[in-house]
Amino acid sequence: MKQIFTTLCLILISAMCFAGINKDAGTYGYKFLNVPYGPVALSLAGRGVYSSNNSSAFILQPASSCVNDQRLLGITHNMWLADTQANMISYSYSRKIDHFGIAIRNLDYGDIENRDDMGIMIGSYHPIDIDATANYARRLSPNFYTGVNLGVLYQKLNTASSLALHSDLGFCYLPPVKNTKISLAVRDLGVANKTDDERVKLPTSFEMDINKGFLLADQQIFLGGSAIQTLDEDLKGSINLEGNLFQIFSIRGGYLLGYDAQDFSAGFGVKYKNISVDYGYGAFNSELNDVHSFGVTYRF
C-alpha cells in the first residue's frame, strides 16, 4: 500500500507542477463547488479536511473522514460575496473502518434585475446553484484509506439551466510519524449538459493536504497545509491552525497563498455536550465584502 500511495503522490504532484493555465480557461464553470461551505472550512483557509469539527470534510477530501470515529449532523449558513448566500446540510458517519456521508448545498444569488437592450427594467430573475453529494470511504490497511464522492448539480441562470454529474477521488496515508496525515485528491471530475448551446466544463483540481497534531500545554493543536492546482488557475496554497482547548473551545485561523482577493481567515467554536456552535470569518480585498459563516453541529 505504501508503494501505491507513493506512486499516486508522484503522479499528482507532477500534474500539479506541469498544469498551467488552460487555453480554454473561460469555459470552466460551476465554481460554487469550490466555495468553503461552513465556518470550520472557511476559518481554516478553505480547508479543514482533518478537523473533527467539520461535518462536511469529505466534500474536499473523500478519504479524510474515515479516520475518525463519530457521527455528525451539521447545518451551515454563509453570508457569501455580493449578497449571495451559501447554505448546506451535511451528515457524516464514520467507524474508522468505513465512512458514509451526504451533503446538500446551494448558492443563492437572490433576485437580479432583468433589463432590455435600452436598460429598461422588464422584471427580475433568481439564479441558484444546488448540489447533492454522497460519499463512501474505506480503510484498506491500518495506514491507507481511500474514498469517492458522487454528486449531481443543478444550475439555473435566467432562462437557461443545466445539469451535471461530478465525482471526486481521494487517498489518505498515515505515515510512521505520530499524529501526521497526508492526503491527495482529484476533484470535480464529470460532465455537464449544454447551457444556451455552450458546454461548460467542471473546475477539475488536484489537491494535496498534510496535517500534524501535537500537544501544547496539554491542549490539542493541529497544523495543516495544502496545495491546489485547478486546471484554469495558477497553483495556490494555504496554511491553517486549529486548537481544541479543554474539550470545549476551538480557535482557528488560516492564511491563503496565491489568491488575488483573499488572504487570512479566522474563527472559533464552542461545544456543549453534543452541540457545537461555530463561526468563521474570511477577509477579502477592498473591492469585495468580507465573508461570515455560522454553523451548528450535533454529535450522535
Side-chain angles (χ1 to χ4, degrees):
M1 288 299 177
K2 185 177 180 180
Q3 290 80 3
I4 295 175
F5 187 80
T6 302
T7 302
L8 290 169
C9 283
L10 293 174
I11 293 173
L12 287 181
I13 291 172
S14 299
M16 291 169 68
C17 292
F18 291 102
I21 301 299
N22 192 283
K23 64 183 178 63
D24 298 323
T27 64
Y28 287 82
Y30 305 105
K31 294 301 183 76
F32 83 98
L33 291 172
N34 294 325
V35 170
Y37 284 81
V40 178
L42 177 64
S43 60
L44 293 173
R47 302 303 293 173
V49 299
Y50 286 111
S51 174
S52 61
N53 300 301
N54 189 0
S55 62
S56 61
F58 61 87
I59 289 180
L60 297 176
Q61 171 45 257
S64 64
S65 297
C66 195
V67 303
N68 299 318
D69 184 11
Q70 60 186 15
R71 184 162 52 167
L72 307 175
L73 176 65
I75 301 176
T76 66
H77 171 71
N78 282 24
M79 300 167 62
W80 195 237
L81 301 174
D83 296 327
T84 60
Q85 299 181 21
N87 307 293
M88 180 181 64
I89 299 176
S90 56
Y91 172 76
S92 173
Y93 180 34
S94 174
R95 300 180 300 170
K96 287 191 174 182
I97 297 175
D98 58 7
H99 172 268
F100 171 76
I102 188 168
I104 300 174
R105 48 186 167 157
N106 81 299
L107 184 60
D108 192 330
Y109 299 85
D111 290 325
I112 298 177
E113 294 181 353
N114 194 9
R115 298 178 180 271
D116 61 18
D117 295 336
M118 300 297 293
I120 299 174
M121 183 175 175
I122 57 175
S124 63
Y125 61 99
H126 194 126
I128 193 169
D129 298 319
I130 302 175
D131 177 75
T133 298
N135 166 269
Y136 182 74
R138 185 79 182 180
R139 186 179 71 185
L140 301 182
S141 75
N143 293 359
F144 190 74
Y145 300 77
T146 187
V148 62
N149 293 336
L150 294 175
V152 56
L153 63 88
Y154 170 76
Q155 183 178 77
K156 181 181 182 299
L157 302 176
N158 186 358
T159 58
S161 63
S162 64
L163 283 171
L165 298 176
H166 65 94
S167 63
D168 315 307
L169 181 62
F171 306 93
C172 173
Y173 174 62
L174 308 183
V177 179
K178 187 176 180 180
N179 293 329
T180 301
K181 305 178 183 71
I182 301 172
S183 62
L184 300 169
V186 182
R187 295 186 56 238
D188 299 329
L189 299 167
V191 294
N193 63 0
K194 292 184 178 181
T195 304
D196 281 342
D197 299 323
E198 180 181 2
R199 190 179 302 277
V200 180
K201 298 179 182 178
L202 288 145
T204 303
S205 62
F206 304 91
E207 304 178 1
M208 172 181 284
D209 291 273
I210 183 169
N211 187 274
K212 178 70 173 75
F214 53 93
L215 291 177
L216 181 62
D218 293 328
Q219 305 303 315
Q220 288 184 320
I221 307 295
F222 298 94
L223 177 65
S226 67
I228 302 172
Q229 177 68 71
T230 305
L231 291 183
D232 61 339
E233 297 179 358
D234 291 327
L235 180 66
K236 294 179 171 59
S238 66
I239 55 175
N240 61 74
L241 184 70
E242 181 177 34
N244 295 325
L245 311 178
F246 310 107
Q247 299 183 344
I248 298 176
F249 302 104
S250 296
I251 54 173
R252 309 179 182 103
Y255 193 84
L256 298 101
L257 306 169
Y259 289 79
D260 295 331
Q262 297 174 264
D263 42 33
F264 76 92
S265 61
F268 64 88
V270 179
K271 184 187 301 183
Y272 178 72
K273 293 186 178 180
N274 295 335
I275 301 290
S276 297
V277 178
D278 298 282
Y279 167 77
Y281 168 80
F284 282 74
N285 61 29
S286 58
E287 298 178 0
L288 297 169
N289 59 280
D290 294 339
V291 173
H292 304 271
S293 179
F294 306 88
V296 177
T297 302
Y298 176 71
R299 287 173 167 78
F300 292 80

